[in-house]
Amino acid sequence: MAKNDINVSFYCCIYVIVRKSLKMMIKIEEDEEENQQRPRKKSKKEIKEEERKEYWQNKRKNQREKKKEMSRKKREEREKNEKPEEKKEKDKEEKEKLSDLRKQKRDAWMSKPPSGNFVMDLSFDDLMEPKEIRSLSVQLTYCYGTNKKMEKPVNLILTSFGGKLETALRSNDGFPQWKLPYHSQHFSEVFPKDKLVYLTSDSDNVLKEIELDKYYVIGGIVDKNRHKGITLKKAQELGIATAQLPIGEHIKLDSRKVLTVNQVMEMILHYIQTENWGEAVEKSLPQRKIPVGKKKKKKKKKS
């Protein structure tokens, strides 16, 4: 009987110990979950940085509002002093001056000889989602705007122009004033194949210089890497030359050498202005693609 009592006592002790252990484990897990859900306490440095940012944002906002208010008051005073007829004549003169200035700039830009021929292949309409088509239309707008600002512009040509992309571009108010040629036909039907070079990051050939008698084709597609190698495959099927931009010769990227249409165009335009691929690559690549060691450190302002 005594032996049985000892066994019972032993098992009771074991039960109590196990139960307490389980309770402790459950409590530890609950504490960990509570700590995870509880927001991290910010350090003094972080709080100070947030306060500094908020202070400067508010200050800039107040300065903008003050400037707007001052310009509004000045405009109201001018309008009060001016007679209605004089005001109409002045507005008309300003509009004419602005129109003449724009025309002069456009004529000066159009008179510049092109420093190369670049063809946008827009035959990928069916492979893109509506938001990707809108994104491509924005990229093409950037290409046109950047080209206009350059001292040495290039001849920019749109091919396979039509469908959803045409609709997206024509919704842009400035598109009717674009001074560039565009064709509804495929680029292979417009230009001789022996003069075509398809620019694709999948090519084994590296572009060294821009030849004025060549037509460099840029694939107009935004696909989030769903159709890898599609531009190289297309060029091979058509039997035309291919080349990639010399990015790898100047910067070793952490990711693939796939750029947006406007980044490609910007890099080419910078090269044409400077004739330096290294400088063009650094100016055009987005900061997220440049390895940490290659990023330029911002100089701290002396207080």
Side-chain angles (χ1 to χ4, degrees):
M1 188 71 181
K3 191 176 181 181
N4 290 336
D5 290 341
I6 291 166
N7 288 336
V8 169
S9 300
F10 175 74
Y11 286 120
C12 285
C13 291
I14 294 295
Y15 171 75
V16 170
I17 291 165
V18 169
R19 192 174 174 185
K20 283 184 179 180
S21 300
L22 286 170
K23 280 184 179 179
M24 285 175 69
M25 287 172 69
I26 291 165
K27 191 179 179 183
I28 289 166
E29 287 179 0
E30 287 175 352
D31 290 342
E32 285 179 354
E33 286 178 6
E34 191 179 344
N35 289 334
Q36 286 175 357
Q37 290 173 359
R38 192 187 300 160
R40 185 178 67 84
K41 191 176 179 181
K42 293 179 181 177
S43 64
K44 288 183 180 179
K45 191 177 180 181
E46 287 174 333
I47 293 166
K48 197 173 180 181
E49 183 66 20
E50 284 180 3
E51 287 175 354
R52 188 185 66 80
K53 282 182 181 177
E54 189 178 353
Y55 168 77
W56 284 108
Q57 282 175 357
N58 292 331
K59 191 172 182 179
R60 288 190 201 101
K61 190 179 178 182
N62 292 333
Q63 285 175 345
R64 283 196 296 269
E65 287 174 358
K66 281 180 183 178
K67 283 182 181 178
K68 282 181 182 177
E69 186 64 25
M70 285 173 67
S71 59
R72 186 183 64 79
K73 284 180 181 178
K74 284 179 181 178
R75 190 168 59 250
E76 285 176 357
E77 286 176 8
R78 269 199 316 270
E79 287 174 357
K80 282 179 184 178
N81 297 330
E82 286 179 357
K83 293 178 182 179
E85 291 178 2
E86 289 178 356
K87 190 187 172 188
K88 282 182 181 178
E89 286 179 8
K90 194 174 181 181
D91 289 344
K92 190 178 177 181
E93 285 177 6
E94 284 179 359
K95 283 181 180 178
E96 286 176 356
K97 281 181 182 178
L98 188 62
S99 178
D100 290 340
L101 186 63
R102 284 175 179 169
K103 191 180 177 183
Q104 286 172 10
K105 282 184 177 180
R106 189 166 59 245
D107 292 343
W109 179 68
M110 291 291 290
S111 64
K112 290 177 181 178
S115 301
N117 303 294
F118 293 87
V119 181
M120 294 293 173
D121 176 15
L122 308 178
S123 61
F124 303 99
D125 213 45
D126 298 332
L127 299 177
M128 291 185 285
E129 302 290 335
K131 63 179 181 180
E132 292 170 342
I133 288 171
R134 286 194 298 272
S135 176
L136 180 58
S137 71
V138 172
Q139 291 178 26
L140 291 171
T141 305
Y142 279 127
C143 290
Y144 182 76
T146 307
N147 191 35
K148 275 187 74 175
K149 292 174 186 175
M150 295 296 170
E151 284 295 320
K152 298 176 184 177
V154 299
N155 186 21
L156 198 60
I157 307 157
L158 306 183
T159 59
S160 299
F161 186 65
K164 297 171 188 174
L165 183 61
E166 182 183 359
T167 306
L169 276 171
R170 290 194 185 279
S171 65
N172 180 359
D173 294 335
F175 181 75
Q177 282 76 47
W178 283 21
K179 301 294 179 184
L180 52 75
Y182 49 87
H183 306 273
S184 58
Q185 303 100 312
H186 193 266
F187 69 86
S188 60
E189 299 172 5
V190 180
F191 307 103
K193 287 186 179 181
D194 61 330
K195 296 291 183 183
L196 290 168
V197 179
Y198 212 119
L199 299 178
T200 169
S201 60
D202 298 308
S203 175
D204 294 329
N205 307 315
V206 179
L207 186 68
K208 298 293 182 184
E209 57 184 3
I210 306 297
E211 297 178 43
L212 295 178
D213 63 333
K214 298 282 186 182
Y215 292 88
Y216 297 93
V217 184
I218 299 170
I221 183 169
V222 178
D223 65 341
K224 306 296 181 188
N225 288 329
R226 290 197 309 275
H227 305 284
K228 290 180 182 178
I230 190 170
T231 50
L232 179 64
K233 187 180 177 184
K234 190 173 189 179
Q236 288 172 343
E237 286 173 357
L238 292 168
I240 62 175
T242 62
Q244 61 166 289
L245 297 177
I247 300 170
E249 293 185 359
H250 300 280
I251 289 180
K252 189 177 180 182
L253 297 181
D254 293 333
S255 56
R256 292 181 71 223
K257 291 179 281 186
V258 179
L259 304 176
T260 59
V261 173
N262 58 296
Q263 286 166 359
V264 171
M265 198 70 243
E266 192 178 339
M267 191 178 295
I268 290 164
L269 285 167
H270 280 310
Y271 166 71
I272 289 170
Q273 311 310 306
T274 61
E275 295 185 359
N276 185 326
W277 277 117
E279 192 177 327
V281 169
E282 282 189 13
K283 277 187 178 180
S284 310
L285 276 182
Q287 288 295 307
R288 68 179 184 277
K289 282 186 173 283
I290 300 174
V292 177
K294 291 283 182 180
K295 288 182 183 179
K296 290 181 179 179
K297 292 180 180 179
K298 292 182 179 179
K299 292 181 180 179
K300 292 183 179 179
K301 291 182 179 179
K302 292 181 180 179
S303 55

